């Protein structure tokens, strides 16, 4: 069978970027990349300028946990037709438009809330807007990932992944460096916070999100998408209601246990003599309990006949069963561990990066020039290089190189912390970090695409990409508290060490796949 890594000449590999199905990923990537910076880096700088405590700022990164739990509602994207929209645009394009309109609405909501008033209600409201943005953006990602896999051959996936990442980074640079330039231009600084500057900035970002809407209206629906079913509209509504009740149960449990978790954290803090560890343990238990409650509610409703059991089984159980059927249990576990830990080093570090630069004395314009504009160029170069190398040397070998580089570049951040304010070293570290990150991420996306069955595209890829970010983002929420306790240098060393076990997982995965580091086409 043909493999993703069939060896091509350098010119043949490079010409693959000109194919239409590859080029369209540039614009879809832009649409996907724009919201992320508005939840992470740009939002953290806005909140920091508004006088919000650093530990609270990094907790806002949890607003993007929708990316890590998107597999829960991915079956809705596959199974549930949207009234009028699906008939007019098709299953994938209809959901794309729905998610993109949600993104624009969420950005506008955040723009019209001032977090600098000191009132808790305003922080809560902007957090809700950020959660809505994360949910809508994660939904868009589900559809784009499925669209990419369904419109391109396995052979083209590395190229499509690289082009997607290029567009993704363009979106991030617009919402990152572009937003910082705009906020500075309109008069907001670390010493003189101006809410209107950030309001205008976020409204401008909402206008930029229209690129995704236009793209969705122009592109064609995938030819090989499997959407036909024998289910009725009532089945779809009952399926949605089941999901909605489970989600409400999860949220209510989380809200009702807030005071209990605070008391438990205080008690454990005294026992452990470590506030961060106590908070991690309590919130972890709270998350598991909330998930258990949601599962019990779902089970009881299914027993009562609230939804079509066969439909639920087809949506949630069949994709998981398919994955384990295609791989042995041992291989499947190794692959899942690799997916869950591969990006832990760079994501945990990335949550605190902008605040770190600001604390080192760099202005927003300097951060934008180095981390966003220059870093953008480096990661684009790394992404295109990664796409070609994936075809030349194989995805698994490139995954190993990427994991090694991710840990090594975090050590460079430790040296940057020791050096203090040093613009030339900042550029050097950012160049190394983004170049290696681009190489690793393009290989990783191709790797995940190769593991996905076209029969369960949205659900399986959503599980993989959710697992990829779940643990790193949970730990990233504590990055502000951890860096405050141990200092930036020790924090970056910890993130570098977190990446070392990944090397073993890549090696084990390549051995157990028994295909010379290649992922075969189904």
């Amino acid at each position: 069978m043909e493999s993703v890594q069939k060896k091509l000449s350098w010119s043949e590999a490079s010409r693959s970027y000109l194919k239409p199905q590859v080029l369209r990923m540039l614009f879809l990537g832009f649409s996907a990349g724009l919201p992320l910076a508005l939840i992470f880096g740009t939002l953290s700088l806005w909140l920091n300028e508004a006088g919000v405590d650093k530990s609270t700022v990094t907790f806002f990164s949890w607003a993007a946990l929708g990316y890590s739990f998107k597999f829960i509602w991915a079956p809705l994207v596959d199974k549930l037709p949207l009234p009028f929209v699906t008939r007019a645009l098709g299953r994938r394009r209809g959901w794309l438009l729905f998610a993109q309109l949600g993104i624009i609405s969420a950005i506008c909501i955040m723009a019209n809330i001032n977090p600098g008033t000191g009132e808790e209600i305003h922080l809560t409201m902007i957090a809700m807007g950020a959660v809505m943005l994360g949910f809508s953006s994660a939904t868009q990602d589900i559809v784009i990932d499925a669209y990419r896999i369904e419109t391109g051959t396995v052979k083209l996936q590395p190229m499509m992944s690289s082009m997607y990442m290029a567009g993704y980074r363009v979106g991030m640079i617009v919402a990152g460096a572009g937003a910082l330039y705009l906020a500075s231009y309109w008069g907001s600084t670390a010493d003189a916070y101006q809410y209107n500057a950030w309001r205008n900035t976020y409204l401008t970002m909402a206008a930029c999100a229209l690129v995704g809407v236009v793209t969705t209206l122009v592109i064609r629906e995938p030819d090989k998408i499997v959407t036909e079913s024998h289910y009725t509209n009532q089945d779809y509504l009952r399926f949605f209601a089941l999901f909605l009740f489970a989600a409400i149960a999860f949220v209510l449990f989380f809200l009702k246990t807030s005071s209990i978790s605070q008391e438990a954290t205080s008690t454990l803090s005294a026992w452990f003599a470590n506030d961060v560890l106590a908070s991690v343990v309590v919130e972890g238990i709270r998350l598991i309990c909330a998930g258990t409650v949601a599962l019990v509610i779902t089970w009881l409703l299914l027993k009562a006949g609230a939804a079509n059991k066969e439909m639920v089984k087809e949506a949630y159980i069949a994709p998981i069963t398919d994955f384990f059927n295609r791989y042995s249990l041992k291989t499947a576990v190794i692959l899942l561990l690799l997916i869950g830990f591969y990006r832990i080093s760079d994501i945990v570090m990335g949550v605190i990066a902008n605040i770190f630069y600001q604390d080192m004395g760099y202005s927003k314009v300097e951060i934008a020039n180095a981390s966003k504009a220059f870093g953008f160029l480096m990661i684009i170069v790394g992404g295109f290089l990664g796409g070609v190398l994936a075809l030349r040397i194989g995805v698994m070998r490139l995954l190993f190189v990427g994991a090694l580089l991710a840990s090594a570049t975090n050590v460079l951040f430790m040296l940057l912390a020791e050096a203090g304010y040093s613009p030339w070293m900042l550029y050097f570290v950012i160049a190394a970090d983004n170049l290696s990150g681009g190489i690793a991420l393009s290989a990783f996306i191709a790797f995940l695409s190769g593991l996905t069955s076209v029969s369960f595209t949205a659900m399986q890829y959503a599980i993989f990409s959710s697992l990829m970010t779940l643990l790193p983002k949970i730990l990233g929420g504590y990055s502000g508290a951890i860096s405050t306790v141990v200092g930036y240098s020790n924090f970056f060393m910890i993130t570098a060490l977190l990446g070392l076990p990944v090397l073993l997982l890549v090696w084990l995965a390549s051995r157990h796949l028994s295909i010379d580091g290649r992922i075969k086409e189904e």
Side-chain angles (χ1 to χ4, degrees):
M1 293 184 186
E2 185 181 15
S3 105
V4 174
Q5 286 77 29
K6 179 182 178 181
K7 193 169 183 178
L8 302 176
S9 68
W10 288 98
S11 61
E12 288 176 324
S14 299
R15 282 199 299 270
S16 297
Y17 283 112
L18 300 179
K19 294 182 179 294
Q21 58 266 55
V22 176
L23 289 173
R24 69 170 66 107
M25 297 311 301
L26 180 68
F27 300 98
L28 291 176
F30 176 88
S31 184
L34 187 77
L36 190 61
L38 301 178
I39 303 174
F40 284 112
T42 301
L43 179 60
S44 67
L45 285 176
W46 179 9
L47 296 175
N48 201 41
E49 279 193 2
V52 180
D53 180 73
K54 184 170 68 175
S55 297
T56 303
V57 169
T58 55
F59 283 135
F60 267 76
S61 68
W62 285 347
L65 278 176
Y67 288 93
S68 300
F69 289 101
K70 60 188 178 183
F71 66 91
I72 296 175
W73 69 89
L76 293 177
V77 176
D78 257 348
K79 303 295 181 184
L80 190 67
L82 296 170
F84 308 111
V85 181
T86 297
R87 182 175 298 178
L89 299 178
R91 186 68 54 91
R92 297 303 184 211
R93 294 168 66 222
W95 272 99
L96 265 179
L97 183 62
F98 174 78
Q100 288 158 352
L101 294 179
I103 288 170
I104 293 172
S105 299
I107 297 173
C108 290
I109 290 171
M110 295 172 69
N112 287 285
I113 301 170
N114 183 5
T117 61
E119 297 183 19
E120 186 175 341
I121 183 63
H122 286 175
L123 277 180
T124 301
M125 291 173 66
I126 203 169
M128 292 175 65
V131 169
M132 178 182 174
L133 179 57
F135 176 82
S136 300
S137 181
T139 301
Q140 179 184 231
D141 279 6
I142 292 171
V143 189
I144 292 177
D145 290 333
Y147 185 89
R148 172 174 50 79
I149 295 169
E150 291 162 355
T151 55
T153 63
V154 176
K155 179 181 176 181
L156 279 180
Q157 287 304 319
M159 301 293 106
M160 295 179 73
S161 300
S162 299
M163 188 64 80
Y164 169 79
M165 192 174 68
Y168 197 92
R169 293 298 169 175
V170 173
M172 290 191 69
I173 199 67
V174 169
L180 299 187
Y181 287 137
L182 288 174
S184 295
Y185 173 77
W186 278 315
S188 185
T189 66
D191 298 322
Y193 168 66
Q194 295 290 332
Y195 162 62
N196 284 335
W198 285 103
R199 178 181 180 274
N200 294 337
T201 296
Y202 265 63
L203 289 177
T204 303
M205 294 301 106
C208 291
L210 290 172
V211 169
V213 174
V214 174
T215 303
T216 297
L217 297 176
V218 170
I219 61 176
R220 298 177 61 183
E221 186 75 0
D223 293 327
K224 59 184 180 182
I225 179 173
V226 181
T227 57
E228 297 297 327
S229 71
H230 57 277
Y231 298 112
T232 65
N233 289 336
Q234 186 180 18
D235 287 328
Y236 287 122
L237 290 175
R238 291 164 61 200
F239 183 79
F240 176 73
L242 179 70
F243 169 80
L244 191 62
F245 274 109
I248 291 173
F250 182 91
V251 172
L252 286 178
F253 182 90
F254 230 76
L255 292 175
K256 296 298 183 181
T257 57
S258 177
S259 58
I260 297 174
S261 67
Q262 291 176 1
E263 294 175 6
T265 300
S266 299
T267 301
L268 285 182
S269 295
W271 289 356
F272 295 159
N274 189 315
D275 292 341
V276 174
L277 178 59
S279 182
V280 169
V281 171
V282 171
E283 293 303 322
I285 294 173
R286 188 180 176 201
L287 185 66
I288 293 171
C289 291
T292 302
V293 168
L295 287 174
V296 170
I297 294 295
T298 301
W299 180 77
L300 291 174
L301 288 173
L302 282 174
K303 292 288 286 184
N308 188 316
K309 295 180 182 179
E310 191 62 31
M311 189 177 189
V312 173
K313 181 180 179 180
E314 181 182 308
Y316 287 100
I317 306 301
I320 298 172
T321 303
D322 170 80
F323 175 74
F324 280 93
N325 285 340
R326 286 187 292 121
Y327 302 98
S328 67
L329 177 61
K330 185 176 183 180
T331 301
V333 170
I334 291 173
L335 290 174
L336 292 175
L337 287 173
L338 173 58
I339 294 169
F341 284 90
Y342 190 77
R343 296 198 60 205
I344 191 168
S345 184
D346 63 311
I347 290 180
V348 173
M349 186 279 294
V351 172
I352 199 72
N354 277 342
I355 297 176
F356 163 67
Y357 300 143
Q358 204 168 45
D359 287 348
M360 290 295 102
Y362 301 102
S363 68
K364 286 199 301 297
V365 173
E366 287 177 312
I367 295 172
N369 289 337
S371 177
K372 309 302 180 183
F374 178 70
F376 158 75
L377 293 176
M378 290 297 100
I379 203 161
I380 291 299
V381 171
F384 282 116
L385 181 59
V388 174
L389 286 174
L391 292 178
R392 293 280 299 170
I393 69 173
V395 168
M396 298 306 296
R397 293 186 184 93
L398 200 58
L399 280 179
F400 187 91
V401 172
L404 182 62
L405 290 175
S407 291
T409 52
N410 279 16
V411 174
L412 293 180
F413 274 94
M414 181 186 70
L415 298 178
L416 179 62
E418 295 291 339
Y421 182 83
S422 176
W424 74 266
M425 190 170 183
L426 175 67
Y427 275 84
F428 172 75
V429 172
I430 286 176
D433 181 57
N434 286 276
L435 188 65
S436 62
I439 291 172
L441 191 54
S442 62
F444 195 53
I445 293 174
F447 168 70
L448 296 182
S449 300
L451 296 178
T452 304
S453 168
V454 72
S455 300
F456 306 100
T457 315
M459 179 58 170
Q460 285 189 349
Y461 197 92
I463 291 175
F464 296 152
S465 55
S466 296
L467 184 61
M468 173 182 72
T469 58
L470 178 57
L471 180 60
K473 284 180 180 176
I474 290 176
L475 292 178
Y478 295 101
S479 59
I482 295 173
S483 62
T484 299
V485 173
V486 304
Y488 281 122
S489 295
N490 290 331
F491 173 75
F492 291 133
M493 177 56 71
I494 290 171
T495 60
L497 294 175
L498 284 174
L500 294 181
V502 176
L503 299 175
L504 175 62
L505 290 172
V506 175
W507 178 73
L508 288 173
S510 63
R511 286 192 62 195
H512 284 84
L513 285 174
S514 301
I515 47 178
D516 193 26
R518 298 176 179 176
I519 302 171
K520 292 182 179 178
E521 184 175 8
E522 296 178 24

